[in-house]
Amino acid sequence: MKGVYIHIPFCEHLCIYCDFVKERAKPEKMARYVDALLHEIACQIETRQVIDTVYIGGGTPSYLNLILLEKLLMRLQEAIDLKALKEFTIECNPQDINDDLLKLLKRYYVNRISLGIQTFNDSALKLLNRKHTSDTAKNALAMIEKHNFTRVSVDFIFNLPYQTMHDVMTDLKTVITLNIPHISYYSLIVEENTRLFYQLKQGFITQGDNDTEAEMYAQIIDTLTTNGYEHYEISNFAKPNHRSIHNQIYWKDHDYYGFGAGSHGKLNQQRYYNYQSVKQYIEKTLMHGSGLQTTYPYEPVRDYLLMGLRMLEGIDLSVFKTRFGTDIFTLYPKLHECIVQGLVLVENNHLKFTPKGLFFGNDVFALF
Amino acid sequence: MSDDRIALIKARQKTIRNFSIIAHIDHGKSTLADRILEVTKSITAREMKAQLLDSMDLERERGITIKLNAVQIQYAHTNGKSYIFHLIDTPGHVDFTYEVSRSLAACEGALLVVDAAQGIEAQTLANVYLALDNDLEILPIINKIDLPSADIPKVKAEIEDIIGLDASEAVETSAKEGIGIFQILDQIIAKVPAPSGDPEAPLKALIFDSYYDAYRGIIPSIRIVEGILGKGDKIQMMSSNRVFEVIEVGVNTPKPVVKDYLGPGDVGYCVASIKTVEDVRVGDTMTHVKRPAEKPLPGYRQLNPMVFCGLFPIDSNDYNDLREALERLKLNDASLIYEPETSQALGFGFRTGFLGMLHMEIIQERIEREFKIDLIATAPSVIYHVYLTNGTMEKIDNPSALKESQDIERIEEPYVSAILMTPKEYVGNVMELCQQKRGIYKTMRYLGETRVELSYELPLLEIVYDFFDKLKSSTKGYASFDYTFSTYKPSKLVKMDILLNGEIVDALSTIVHRDFAYKRGKLITEKLKDIIPRQMFEVPVQASINNKIIARSSIRALRKNVLAKCYGGDITRKKKLLEKQKKGKKRMKSVGNVEVPQEAFLSVLSIDE
């Protein structure tokens, strides 16, 4: 398996919690960026290479205007056989969804749309500086369905400022009613130096504590799993056959290209990332055919475990032994303690989190 | 030694001027020292690091001088004559009063630097008194005259009213801008007397500092008062009677320069293969074995630590490294003492004694920084005199070592005499604070129209706690304060234990005044609840006196600790977060099965009452 991640670092508005590489750019800069991106892809992907998944993320890929987006997709097709992809995902904001966009995406074999809804609560959306409403989101979902995109994922966030358990339940009910097949449900992560960080620090807004967060997480798991969703990764839920193939490339330690500013990749036992500054990325890429800023160590066992254990199916112990030539418990004897503490268990020759362990993943990850 | 040589030494002696700089923190001492070095071309611009005399990083960061340094400066005056200045730097903090007094004793004069905007502070005053005790010629200098808030006449009046010095000829300078520096040099030449010692008398050399050199041992900094010291001389320390042979003498310019001999008035160093710092006591007199001086120089005192705390390595494997670190620091610092201590909660460590709070902080920071050992320091304690019912007295510097109350007849604690100076609008606040801290009021006097000097007797224990911070916050930072040990007095003191998860953590035991015990117990348990991170289970926190619980709180269990997001293939974020959590854990000590962070052990110190 091999994936391609493409980063579009532009947004119309900046959400208060986001610390990804993104900026509000002028159209000319976006055009130059797409040129650089296409140059990088053309230079880096060997012809006739088999690629299994492509994921265009951001930023906001849907913020590119249709001409630019079409240029990107058309040229992408020259490097990658889009029709043969197992999965081709693009991230969109609900307010960007319209017939023309969806037709374009369809034409280039996009078969999965990831929609950044975050919540159906309008006042929370406003506080996050999101520019859509719950109605916009519902309309977008309806339009996506109308255009026969069967594979849809939505991003949701819990433990938002002022969010109550009742609010979470409302979001969950709507998701279930709308029969959305895939949900990434993240707890709000307060990254340093974001607007959210300062607003919380200065006490302008408040957020639930660790108890609230745990209770909400438990409620989410409980509600979704009793309504036909498989909880297959710490923060991801899917109806049968709707799991994200691309994300499993990360979790199962396969190779993936990273294209675009600030993107990360992993190829041939080597990790790397690109320049984060859009300006620098464009300059370097146009000059060298790559925006690579630096490589950094791939730690085979550690990376395998940090990513692999996120999947609820866990780590196949025989596969682990074959791959690394040693038993996992010999390598990490402290795992026995985690079993005693009830954080992990061995079942069907797989090491996996217990339901309790899901809440304390970092305490287990810290062993590796 | 030939008569010609003696004559030469005497002639040279007339050109020597020895002086220190007395100033409050931030009033510009180091900057002035730098300027003097600069205008006398003692160092080239290239060598010029800001504030050269403060050579340790820590000093530079904190803007204070801890370690003494002396520099010889050759000054060719425009009148054609040449002079030799010795600038002897002094530490600027109350913990090091004795060292200050000894470096002042090595001088004939002192520059009193006062900030033109802020006036005289208690610490400056304390040092001026030390200088007056040593009969120094004091040259007032008004610094920072370029500040918009400078009030030169007011500061001059303060100098005259408070200290009783004539300020009419005070040099007005801005060390930062280089204004008035030559004028200062002229005044030093004109007003500071040349050293008076007789080169033909038996040797008397004052040790005012020492430093450790890995190859040459302990090297004392000395001021020759009488006689001549040269290479090959057999010398004796008059307090310890230890004998050494001099291998080298020289001066610092600031680079060391080897000399054939040092004569009266010279300030330099002496290499004599001295192995332990105990042999080079600051304040001691060095003399010749062959023709010893009759009496040592006055003023020698053995320094006793006033404040104690336990130092424990967070990683118990670092125990030997910690011992080595203390040994190394001790080479340079006779006032640092330590002995092994075992705590049930913290394992093996050292009970360590310091001159005061700053001294303690500096040592801890140096161990962490220079020796890379993560430390847990327990709350500082003073030495209690515990009188037992059987008629004996025990000195206790570790609260957990205090006996059961039925064996104790009474406990006495050390008091200090404190001078506090404050603008008059804060007198009420200062008095209230001293009252809260069990202070005994002594006197109050007005210093000019706007400032007041208060004197109190205060329990040292209260100063070791948060007195200084409280003083600063209740006077908007305007008050200053200085103290000296006065006496032991009986107090109603009790030991308060802290229990985590039902078990006494001996390292958290403190001795408190009985009247404040309930309040303090409540505050400490509340504070620990906030400081100790939530664990995977609920942890009760209790305070007890004589096995009776007086306060309790509880740390609720942590319920979720997992990174939600996978960030588009960016594993670095995940790793960073895990490293951060691991690092956080590394700074914690497992007590029972509770992870307790370093700050918790000092939490008893700073509680808002």
Side-chain angles (χ1 to χ4, degrees):
Chain A
M1 290 277 276
K2 200 169 214 171
V4 167
Y5 176 79
I6 298 171
H7 192 70
I8 306 295
F10 305 111
C11 291
E12 190 180 2
H13 299 279
L14 306 186
C15 310
I16 65 166
Y17 53 82
C18 176
D19 79 332
F20 271 62
V21 178
K22 83 278 168 182
E23 58 181 67
R24 294 165 63 178
K26 297 214 171 76
E28 312 86 75
K29 193 171 184 184
M30 293 200 264
R32 274 191 292 126
Y33 179 80
V34 169
D35 286 341
L37 190 57
L38 289 167
H39 186 58
E40 184 179 40
I41 294 169
C43 292
Q44 297 305 318
I45 294 203
E46 299 146 38
T47 36
R48 282 193 302 279
Q49 171 153 348
V50 178
I51 299 291
D52 299 280
T53 64
V54 172
Y55 192 103
I56 306 180
T60 318
S62 58
Y63 181 51
L64 292 178
N65 65 48
L66 290 185
I67 300 166
L68 215 46
L69 188 58
E70 175 142 31
K71 181 176 176 182
L72 173 65
L73 294 170
M74 194 164 65
R75 295 275 300 281
L76 192 59
Q77 202 169 18
E78 292 165 17
I80 301 168
D81 183 356
L82 297 179
K83 196 177 175 182
L85 289 174
K86 293 196 176 71
E87 184 180 278
F88 184 7
T89 310
I90 185 165
E91 285 182 351
C92 295
N93 270 348
Q95 69 269 35
D96 296 332
I97 298 290
N98 57 49
D99 288 329
D100 293 338
L101 173 71
L102 292 170
K103 275 183 208 157
L104 176 67
L105 298 179
K106 202 90 209 181
R107 202 151 64 235
Y108 288 94
Y109 308 102
V110 172
N111 59 14
R112 187 166 177 272
I113 290 174
S114 171
L115 208 55
I117 294 179
Q118 320 308 353
T119 175
F120 284 116
N121 184 307
D122 285 343
S123 55
L125 286 168
K126 204 166 172 185
L127 188 143
L128 298 175
N129 202 30
R130 302 286 300 177
K131 296 297 168 183
H132 68 269
T133 62
S134 55
D135 284 342
T136 325
K138 286 171 193 163
N139 286 338
L141 285 165
M143 247 186 280
I144 290 168
E145 198 183 348
K146 191 182 85 186
H147 283 265
N148 294 318
F149 285 91
T150 49
R151 304 196 56 209
V152 178
S153 176
V154 291
D155 280 355
F156 268 73
I157 305 179
F158 68 93
N159 202 17
L160 290 166
Y162 307 119
Q163 194 177 37
T164 62
M165 186 62 93
H166 179 78
D167 296 330
V168 174
M169 289 302 291
T170 311
D171 277 349
L172 285 168
K173 269 181 210 152
T174 315
V175 164
I176 291 162
T177 314
L178 293 173
N179 201 25
I180 299 169
H182 186 277
I183 305 144
S184 298
Y185 220 133
Y186 303 116
S187 63
L188 181 61
I189 300 168
V190 183
E191 300 284 0
E192 258 174 68
N193 300 325
T194 55
R195 262 172 75 197
L196 174 69
F197 176 81
Y198 290 110
Q199 289 184 3
L200 285 168
K201 200 170 147 187
Q202 289 164 358
F204 293 143
I205 52 177
T206 55
Q207 187 195 18
D209 61 6
N210 186 267
D211 293 327
T212 314
E213 187 181 317
E215 281 155 23
M216 287 178 176
Y217 186 47
Q219 185 65 55
I220 289 164
I221 294 172
D222 187 53
T223 310
L224 290 177
T225 48
T226 51
N227 281 279
Y229 288 88
E230 295 163 352
H231 185 194
Y232 73 104
E233 193 263 358
I234 288 172
S235 305
N236 283 276
F237 302 83
K239 289 276 175 71
N241 302 317
H242 277 277
R243 296 183 182 196
S244 163
I245 303 170
H246 181 80
N247 280 343
Q248 290 187 63
I249 286 181
Y250 302 146
W251 298 324
K252 294 186 173 169
D253 205 30
H254 296 299
D255 278 3
Y256 52 96
Y257 289 94
F259 295 125
S263 64
H264 284 244
K266 181 205 153 219
L267 293 168
N268 309 319
Q269 309 275 306
Q270 185 70 60
R271 292 188 182 276
Y272 66 92
Y273 57 81
N274 281 352
Y275 281 96
Q276 297 207 346
S277 139
V278 171
K279 187 165 169 275
Q280 259 184 317
Y281 168 78
I282 294 174
E283 283 164 11
K284 298 284 170 188
T285 306
L286 292 179
M287 211 183 304
H288 306 297
S290 160
L292 183 130
Q293 179 176 7
T294 187
T295 57
Y296 62 92
Y298 166 68
E299 302 171 273
V301 185
R302 188 173 180 219
D303 290 5
Y304 186 77
L305 292 171
L306 287 185
M307 294 310 247
L309 263 187
R310 294 191 67 87
M311 303 279 296
L312 271 71
E313 66 185 42
I315 306 273
D316 186 321
L317 295 178
S318 316
V319 172
F320 184 91
K321 199 163 182 179
T322 318
R323 192 165 168 151
F324 301 111
T326 174
D327 181 74
I328 193 168
F329 289 99
T330 317
L331 215 47
Y332 302 106
K334 281 195 171 173
L335 274 174
H336 289 295
E337 286 173 32
C338 293
I339 291 179
V340 175
Q341 288 174 297
L343 299 181
V344 292
L345 57 85
V346 176
E347 198 176 72
N348 302 328
N349 204 33
H350 280 66
L351 177 77
K352 57 169 102 168
F353 279 125
T354 61
K356 175 185 170 188
L358 285 173
F359 287 73
F360 297 100
N362 289 356
D363 292 293
V364 178
F365 293 140
L367 297 186
F368 310 131
Chain B
M1 198 165 270
S2 73
D3 289 350
D4 286 359
R5 200 118 188 233
I6 295 294
L8 202 73
I9 290 171
K10 283 184 171 167
R12 188 173 161 277
Q13 200 174 326
K14 293 200 176 83
T15 69
I16 296 177
R17 300 290 183 275
N18 293 330
F19 64 96
S20 294
I21 306 176
I22 295 172
H24 187 70
I25 291 169
D26 288 341
H27 282 199
K29 180 172 76 172
S30 299
T31 318
L32 179 60
D34 290 347
R35 285 296 162 271
I36 291 175
L37 291 177
E38 226 174 57
V39 303
T40 55
K41 305 189 175 61
S42 304
I43 41 168
T44 62
R46 196 168 47 81
E47 293 166 326
M48 183 77 199
K49 268 192 269 174
Q51 304 191 353
L52 191 87
L53 282 180
D54 298 347
S55 52
M56 291 198 314
D57 285 352
L58 209 67
E59 295 180 23
R60 211 167 290 142
E61 271 171 37
R62 292 181 169 226
I64 50 165
T65 318
I66 305 154
K67 202 80 197 89
L68 313 176
N69 278 295
V71 185
Q72 186 177 81
I73 299 165
Q74 304 280 347
Y75 178 46
H77 197 275
T78 44
N79 67 12
K81 288 185 188 159
S82 290
Y83 295 90
I84 299 162
F85 291 162
H86 294 120
L87 165 52
I88 297 167
D89 202 10
T90 57
H93 190 275
V94 53
D95 288 359
F96 305 105
T97 304
Y98 177 66
E99 273 97 333
V100 176
S101 83
R102 292 308 83 202
S103 4
L104 292 174
C107 303
E108 278 76 28
L111 309 181
L112 166 64
V113 180
V114 183
D115 185 307
Q118 301 193 351
I120 296 175
E121 303 288 350
Q123 208 176 78
T124 321
L125 198 63
N127 286 350
V128 171
Y129 290 147
L130 287 175
L132 290 170
D133 288 348
N134 284 291
D135 289 325
L136 264 52
E137 181 66 33
I138 296 173
L139 312 181
I141 288 167
I142 321 275
N143 193 23
K144 304 197 188 180
I145 54 164
D146 54 319
L147 289 179
S149 51
D151 186 346
I152 299 167
K154 186 180 153 222
V155 172
K156 281 192 176 178
E158 263 192 18
I159 293 172
E160 296 190 343
D161 294 349
I162 300 173
I163 311 174
L165 284 174
D166 178 7
S168 62
E169 289 181 39
V171 186
E172 296 165 19
T173 68
S174 163
K176 200 173 119 224
E177 303 293 330
I179 300 166
I181 309 300
F182 285 103
Q183 238 178 304
I184 294 174
L185 298 182
D186 283 346
Q187 284 207 355
I188 292 170
I189 293 166
K191 295 187 174 177
V192 176
S196 60
D198 178 359
E200 293 178 287
L203 175 70
K204 278 186 187 177
L206 172 71
I207 300 171
F208 63 88
D209 187 18
S210 69
Y211 54 94
Y212 172 74
D213 180 291
Y215 302 102
R216 309 203 291 174
I218 312 287
I219 302 177
S221 297
I222 51 169
R223 151 77 198 263
I224 310 288
V225 179
E226 297 206 297
I228 293 169
L229 176 68
K231 185 179 167 178
D233 291 0
K234 280 243 162 46
I235 52 160
Q236 183 174 17
M237 307 297 176
M238 292 185 79
S239 80
S240 67
N241 291 324
R242 294 292 305 265
V243 173
F244 300 95
E245 186 178 326
V246 176
I247 295 169
E248 180 185 314
V249 294
V251 296
N252 293 309
T253 69
K255 275 176 279 187
V257 174
V258 179
K259 297 279 176 185
D260 293 337
Y261 57 87
L262 300 174
D266 272 331
V267 175
Y269 64 87
C270 163
V271 182
S273 304
I274 303 168
K275 299 223 165 48
T276 69
V277 74
E278 272 89 357
D279 292 335
V280 192
R281 292 281 172 77
V282 167
D284 198 0
T285 305
M286 197 187 268
T287 192
H288 280 128
V289 174
K290 234 183 224 166
R291 191 164 72 106
E294 266 180 44
K295 276 196 301 185
L297 296 160
Y300 172 71
R301 212 165 77 196
Q302 189 166 343
L303 275 186
N304 294 316
M306 305 252 272
V307 174
F308 290 77
C309 78
L311 294 181
F312 296 85
I314 290 185
D315 179 348
S316 50
N317 293 325
D318 288 341
Y319 176 76
N320 284 325
D321 292 345
L322 176 58
R323 182 178 33 225
E324 272 172 38
L326 287 165
E327 276 167 10
R328 289 281 298 281
L329 292 169
K330 170 93 184 154
L331 286 175
N332 243 340
D333 188 346
S335 52
L336 174 69
I337 66 160
Y338 58 91
E339 59 181 35
E341 176 183 358
T342 314
S343 152
Q344 281 165 8
L346 301 178
F348 294 105
F350 295 92
R351 194 76 193 163
T352 315
F354 308 92
L355 296 175
M357 291 300 285
L358 181 73
H359 189 211
M360 180 175 95
E361 280 170 35
I362 288 165
I363 295 292
Q364 287 174 10
E365 219 167 309
R366 289 187 64 185
I367 292 172
E368 297 213 302
R369 237 191 248 199
E370 294 168 28
F371 300 91
K372 311 236 173 332
I373 301 167
D374 288 324
L375 281 183
I376 295 256
T378 61
S381 161
V382 297
I383 302 179
Y384 298 96
H385 289 176
V386 180
Y387 293 87
L388 302 175
T389 44
N390 66 13
T392 58
M393 188 267 271
E394 279 185 351
K395 291 183 178 179
I396 298 281
D397 62 33
N398 187 346
S400 65
L402 195 66
K403 291 234 165 32
E404 291 290 312
S405 58
Q406 68 267 20
D407 298 332
I408 296 171
E409 196 247 313
R410 70 175 192 283
I411 302 176
E412 293 191 354
E413 64 175 330
Y415 272 67
V416 297
S417 311
I419 302 176
L420 302 112
M421 291 173 68
T422 174
K424 68 174 179 200
E425 58 264 43
Y426 302 116
V427 168
N429 293 359
V430 173
M431 291 179 87
E432 198 184 317
L433 175 66
C434 290
Q435 193 87 22
Q436 267 176 23
K437 299 295 182 184
R438 304 190 276 132
I440 303 163
Y441 170 82
K442 291 282 175 198
T443 60
M444 175 165 97
R445 67 168 173 145
Y446 270 80
L447 311 169
E449 293 200 344
T450 54
R451 302 213 305 159
V452 175
E453 182 195 275
L454 288 158
S455 71
Y456 269 89
E457 295 246 301
L458 283 160
L460 178 60
L461 177 67
E462 301 293 340
I463 291 174
V464 161
Y465 278 24
D466 51 355
F467 184 80
F468 196 60
D469 291 340
K470 286 272 159 64
L471 179 68
K472 286 285 168 196
S473 62
S474 62
T475 61
K476 299 206 170 120
Y478 281 113
S480 57
F481 145 82
D482 194 68
Y483 66 86
T484 49
F485 170 74
S486 77
T487 183
Y488 271 82
K489 289 179 197 277
S491 286
K492 290 188 285 176
L493 298 170
V494 287
K495 179 169 78 163
M496 182 167 74
D497 292 318
I498 300 292
L499 295 84
L500 287 180
N501 218 10
E503 283 176 45
I504 290 183
V505 180
D506 55 0
L508 283 172
S509 297
T510 49
I511 290 176
V512 295
H513 195 270
R514 196 180 301 150
D515 296 349
F516 300 146
Y518 280 84
K519 200 169 163 194
R520 208 158 239 165
K522 191 164 182 300
L523 288 163
I524 292 174
T525 48
E526 282 303 312
K527 181 137 185 194
L528 285 173
K529 182 191 81 182
D530 295 337
I531 290 179
I532 298 174
R534 298 168 70 166
Q535 323 265 320
M536 277 169 71
F537 46 89
E538 181 170 325
V539 179
V541 184
Q542 296 157 308
S544 81
I545 288 175
N546 291 327
N547 300 321
K548 188 181 147 212
I549 304 294
I550 57 161
R552 74 184 79 225
S553 71
S554 150
I555 305 161
R556 283 190 296 156
L558 180 73
R559 302 206 14 215
K560 181 169 180 281
N561 173 30
V562 60
L563 184 64
K565 211 157 176 175
C566 84
Y567 299 106
D570 175 4
I571 198 169
T572 58
R573 283 168 176 260
K574 198 173 163 65
K575 286 181 178 171
K576 262 184 218 153
L577 180 100
L578 289 171
E579 289 313 316
K580 205 171 142 190
Q581 289 197 347
K582 264 191 206 171
K583 222 172 151 188
K585 280 233 166 109
K586 236 186 95 191
R587 308 277 304 168
M588 289 195 255
K589 190 91 190 176
S590 229
V591 177
N593 46 4
V594 183
E595 299 277 343
V596 184
Q598 213 178 6
E599 312 91 273
F601 295 94
L602 286 174
S603 63
V604 285
L605 273 187
S606 48
I607 38 181
D608 290 317
E609 295 180 34

